[in-house]
Amino acid sequence: MLKTRIIPCLDVKDGRVVKGINFVDLVDAGDPVEQAKVYDVQGADELCFLDITASSDNRNIILDVVKKTANQCFMPLTVGGGVRSLADIRSLLLAGADKVGINTSAISSPELIKEGANKFGSQCIVVAIDAKKVKDKWMVYSHGGRKETGLDAVEWAKFVVEKGAGELLLTSMDRDGTGNGFDLDLLKEITSKVTVPVIASGGVGTLDHLVEGVEKGGASAVLAASIFHFGKFKIKDARKAMTDAGLNTRL
Amino acid sequence: MRVGIIDYGSGNIRSVFKSFEKAASLVSPKIHIKVIDNIKELNELEKIVLPGVGAFADCMKGLEKQPGLIEMLTKKVLEENKAFLGICVGMQLLANYSKEYGHTEGLAWIDGEVTSIKTTDSSIKIPHMGWNSISFGCSHSLLKEIKKNEDFYFVHSYQFNVKDNDFVLAKTHYGRDITSIVLKNNILGTQFHPEKSQIAGIQFIKNFLEWTP
């Protein structure tokens, strides 16, 4: 039986883990290398490392920090932020990433998804979508949530899967950092329309929220940051809550 | 003992290297793990690891690109009976052929074909990605200290249908039965990624390092 994955996420800025609310007001949450070590010991199912200002600063990802973080993980590691070319993907894989998250570049050059999938396999290409509700639709934002793209999130999700994305990391900007729970309508809308696994992200404040993301939202994996970073909950607490709710988890 | 991980341009070599080093440190200081990209060094190995991330045809092309590599691998594994481990696509390459993006011939060391895991059930998301349990009937030194139904990390869209069931050491269920460990004499393959499977994965690699086929 396939298990629902619980994924802590390290949002990294200037080499430090940070956490914001609605993508701004960032608070320091520690050293990524130390955090990775903690999550490996706790038995997280995967780890996500996002260099959240690489695109907006127009620079490449901090490879040395990725490498040091990867050295602490014997679990799958997804790395994203400022990925612009096949060479960028290759250098992240060589630094120890297993999957690469593409967001801004997928929007400016969707062919990168296809080329990446052909070269490294679909399973390696995670397209990250930052979505925000505008009137009655969800719209896609790029550059770490700073630029509106005019793309409809549901249509965009279907498009990137056709191009070869092996997984989607779907973040609700409205919910991110609020602790009010996932945007379940957005999640359901997208999980019901794509064939690939979707990681739900943005808004987790309680363990019940994780359960909802899977039961009501149809997510294959749930991602959270603050509830784990600041020690409110451990991975095993999340696992227990999900198992108690009848979901399949590991250990 | 020299253990070599073949680098043929495919995927997460660093992850594989790291986990083998960790496992080796638990077994013996005499085990040397190396990433190999030339035939000369391949000739000196006691154990060979073929990782694989990506498309079957692309991986096969990567192997064929280095002149003499497949011949040397074949000699080491089929004639000298060196212990071999293929991971994910590295395992699928053992088959006669794959139907991923057309038809591509494999190494044909273990009879069988590689086909899509797609089903009509829309709740079965493709790729098969995440932690799933393996089930096995018999005991084997390669499964030492591995619990029945232990979870390992999978990520793939195609599966290896092994012709002779005797060579299937473990299976995993995902909409259907999938070969998760294949074993024929000195030739071992895993559909899952031991290098990404934390404690159970390190234990499996440790078992491989201690294994005498």
Side-chain angles (χ1 to χ4, degrees):
Chain A
M1 185 73 82
L2 186 67
K3 313 300 185 296
T4 303
R5 286 169 284 154
I6 302 165
I7 309 175
C9 181
L10 309 176
D11 292 315
V12 178
K13 182 177 187 279
D14 305 328
R16 298 283 294 174
V17 179
V18 292
K19 191 57 221 170
I21 297 171
N22 302 125
F23 283 38
V24 291
D25 296 334
L26 304 173
V27 178
D28 188 279
D31 173 43
V33 182
E34 288 307 312
Q35 291 276 25
K37 224 185 272 183
V38 169
Y39 292 129
D40 195 56
V41 170
Q42 288 190 12
D45 294 319
E46 282 185 23
L47 186 67
C48 189
F49 179 113
L50 303 176
D51 184 342
I52 56 170
T53 54
S55 281
S56 57
D57 296 350
N58 194 27
R59 59 166 171 78
N60 288 327
I61 197 162
I62 30 174
L63 270 182
D64 56 324
V65 183
V66 171
K67 210 166 181 172
K68 281 186 210 147
T69 306
N71 279 342
Q72 301 304 328
C73 301
F74 293 94
M75 63 186 140
L77 174 67
T78 301
V79 181
V83 177
R84 295 183 191 89
S85 65
L86 288 180
D88 289 346
I89 299 175
R90 169 93 175 144
S91 37
L92 284 176
L93 294 175
L94 290 177
D98 298 284
K99 301 190 253 185
V100 172
I102 310 177
N103 187 337
T104 300
S105 294
I107 295 160
S108 53
S109 48
E111 284 310 301
L112 181 61
I113 305 169
K114 194 172 165 188
E115 288 166 10
N118 284 344
K119 175 92 186 113
F120 305 103
S122 281
Q123 84 296 326
C124 184
I125 308 297
V126 182
V127 172
I129 301 176
D130 293 332
K132 190 166 155 180
K133 196 151 192 184
V134 180
K135 290 177 194 156
D136 56 345
K137 273 184 173 176
W138 291 278
M139 304 304 284
V140 178
Y141 282 68
S142 69
H143 295 81
R146 290 168 189 81
K147 274 193 193 169
E148 197 188 328
T149 63
L151 293 165
D152 177 288
V154 180
E155 293 307 314
W156 175 243
K158 291 198 287 196
F159 175 79
V160 298
V161 170
E162 262 169 49
K163 281 278 172 199
E167 189 171 39
L168 302 180
L169 167 53
L170 178 62
T171 303
S172 159
M173 292 176 61
D174 303 305
R175 298 301 179 95
D176 188 75
T178 63
N180 292 336
F182 293 122
D183 184 338
L184 295 173
D185 294 332
L186 165 68
L187 199 51
K188 206 159 76 188
E189 190 66 19
I190 289 185
T191 56
S192 64
K193 295 212 164 79
V194 297
T195 52
V196 301
V198 175
I199 306 170
S201 156
V204 174
T206 69
L207 298 177
D208 288 342
H209 290 153
L210 299 173
V211 175
E212 281 175 1
V214 182
E215 277 190 338
K216 297 186 183 151
S220 300
V222 286
L223 180 143
S226 2
I227 61 161
F228 296 131
H229 296 339
F230 299 116
K232 187 172 170 191
F233 298 109
K234 291 210 162 65
I235 300 293
K236 68 168 191 228
D237 302 324
R239 202 161 263 149
K240 184 171 183 307
M242 294 172 80
T243 310
D244 288 349
L247 299 174
N248 291 302
T249 64
R250 198 159 64 100
L251 305 175
Chain B
M1 181 173 69
R2 287 165 203 262
V3 180
I5 299 160
I6 313 286
D7 181 8
Y8 56 111
S10 161
N12 61 345
I13 292 289
R14 177 145 182 90
S15 275
V16 178
F17 176 74
K18 229 171 42 172
S19 58
F20 271 75
E21 267 210 322
K22 166 101 179 169
S25 73
L26 302 171
V27 177
S28 155
K30 287 185 185 147
I31 299 178
H32 300 286
I33 310 292
K34 286 195 82 174
V35 174
I36 302 286
D37 62 359
N38 64 77
I39 295 167
K40 193 176 153 282
E41 280 185 300
L42 176 58
N43 199 22
E44 293 160 1
L45 300 178
E46 257 76 54
K47 290 191 178 182
I48 300 166
V49 182
L50 188 66
V53 170
F56 188 99
D58 211 53
C59 287
M60 204 59 203
K61 242 185 258 163
L63 285 181
E64 286 163 348
K65 214 159 74 187
Q66 299 188 36
L69 177 62
I70 292 182
E71 290 75 10
M72 178 61 87
L73 268 177
T74 308
K75 178 177 154 252
K76 297 291 288 182
V77 177
L78 297 189
E79 290 171 27
E80 297 175 19
N81 297 316
K82 300 293 182 198
F84 174 94
L85 169 62
I87 299 172
C88 196
V89 183
M91 165 183 107
Q92 296 182 355
L93 291 171
L94 300 170
N96 300 99
Y97 60 88
S98 166
K99 289 182 172 170
E100 185 178 358
Y101 301 122
H103 179 105
T104 312
E105 298 287 322
L107 295 168
W109 291 352
I110 298 178
D111 283 338
E113 57 169 13
V114 176
T115 58
S116 169
I117 56 176
K118 249 184 210 143
T119 67
T120 47
D121 179 353
S122 65
S123 72
I124 301 286
K125 300 280 184 186
I126 309 285
H128 172 214
M129 189 182 288
W131 297 82
N132 203 339
S133 48
I134 64 165
S135 61
F136 45 90
C138 60
S139 63
H140 194 285
S141 68
L142 288 163
L143 298 168
K144 195 179 78 186
E145 289 185 43
I146 289 179
K147 291 193 308 256
K148 291 215 162 157
N149 296 318
E150 182 69 79
D151 287 315
F152 285 89
Y153 192 83
F154 289 79
V155 49
H156 63 118
S157 306
Y158 285 76
Q159 66 178 97
F160 184 6
N161 306 303
V162 180
K163 200 174 164 199
D164 187 341
N165 222 1
D166 288 350
F167 299 144
V168 176
L169 188 62
K171 284 182 195 174
T172 288
H173 196 76
Y174 188 60
R176 62 174 78 191
D177 275 341
I178 286 168
T179 305
S180 37
I181 307 179
V182 66
L183 175 66
K184 182 185 175 188
N185 307 321
N186 56 316
I187 308 170
L188 173 67
T190 62
Q191 182 59 69
F192 55 80
H193 289 270
E195 78 280 11
K196 291 282 104 188
S197 299
Q198 288 175 338
I199 296 167
I202 299 289
Q203 178 64 45
F204 184 84
I205 295 170
K206 204 170 152 248
N207 294 348
F208 170 72
L209 295 174
E210 289 171 332
W211 176 47
T212 320

